[in-house]
Amino acid sequence: MEPVLRQAVALAHQNLEARTAQYLARLGQKVSCRRGCFACCYAWVVVGLAEAAYLREHLEAHLPDALARVEAEGPNRLRRIAQHKHRADFPTTYFLEAHPCPLLTSEGACAVHPHRPLACRGVLTNLEARYCAPG
Ligand code: SF4
Ligand code: SF4
C-alpha cells in the first residue's frame, strides 16, 4: 500500500475519533459501548478500497488467522451482494440474520479495534446495549 494512502486512512480514522469525542463532550454524553459488547458487529459493514487495503496490510502482518477467516467468509458475502443488492431492505435483513463479522473474536472483541473501519467507528449509542441486538 502506498504510504500516502496509509496515512490518509489513519488520518481519517483519527479525525472521526476526535470529532466524535468533541461532539459527545459538547452534549455531555457518554457512550454505552464497551469491549465484549458486539451486537453492532452483525451489521453489513461497508469499507472503501483504501480502508480495505489498510486493513488487509494489518491482517497480513499481525493476524493471519483473522485474515483467513475474512477470506473464507468473503465469497459468501459477495454472493449475497450479487443476489440481494437491489433490495432496499437487504442491510436490515442481513442484520436480523445475525452473522458475526469474521473479525469478531470468541471473547466478543474486535480483533482489529485500532484499525477498524470508519463504518464501525461511527456506530455507537448512549442507550442500553440490548437495544442494539437484532430484532
Ligand atoms: S453500538 Fe450497541 S452493540 Fe455496539 S458496542 Fe455500542 S452498545 Fe454495544
Ligand atoms: S471490524 Fe471489528 S468493529 Fe467492525 S464489525 Fe468487525 S468486529 Fe465489529
Side-chain angles (χ1 to χ4, degrees), residues 7-82:
Q7 284 165 11
V9 173
L11 191 60
H13 290 172
Q14 285 167 21
N15 284 343
L16 181 61
E17 296 289 336
R19 291 175 66 178
T20 302
Q22 283 167 10
Y23 176 75
L24 292 169
R26 195 165 63 242
L27 296 182
Q29 296 283 356
K30 285 199 164 52
V31 298
S32 322
C33 307
R34 56 180 173 74
R35 186 182 171 88
C37 187
F38 54 84
C40 51
C41 299
Y42 295 140
W44 182 264
V45 176
V46 175
V47 299
L49 277 178
E51 273 200 298
Y54 178 84
L55 199 50
R56 182 180 189 93
E57 194 173 68
H58 177 67
L59 291 171
E60 281 176 345
H62 304 288
L63 295 165
D65 290 351
L67 177 58
R69 288 199 303 276
V70 171
E71 289 184 329
E73 174 64 11
N76 296 331
R77 299 205 176 198
L78 288 173
R79 222 173 359 258
R80 290 297 300 271
I81 292 175

Side-chain angles (χ1 to χ4, degrees), residues 68-101:
R69 288 199 303 276
V70 171
E71 289 184 329
E73 174 64 11
N76 296 331
R77 299 205 176 198
L78 288 173
R79 222 173 359 258
R80 290 297 300 271
I81 292 175
Q83 288 170 342
H84 301 305
K85 64 181 177 185
H86 58 284
R87 286 176 40 180
D89 65 344
F90 172 56
T92 303
T93 303
Y94 191 86
F95 179 64
L96 292 175
E97 292 170 7
H99 304 284
C101 172

Side-chain angles (χ1 to χ4, degrees), residues 40-43 45 55 101-105 109-113 116-117 120:
C40 51
C41 299
Y42 295 140
V45 176
L55 199 50
C101 172
L103 295 174
L104 191 61
T105 70
C110 175
V112 294
H113 196 262
R116 70 196 187 288
C120 304

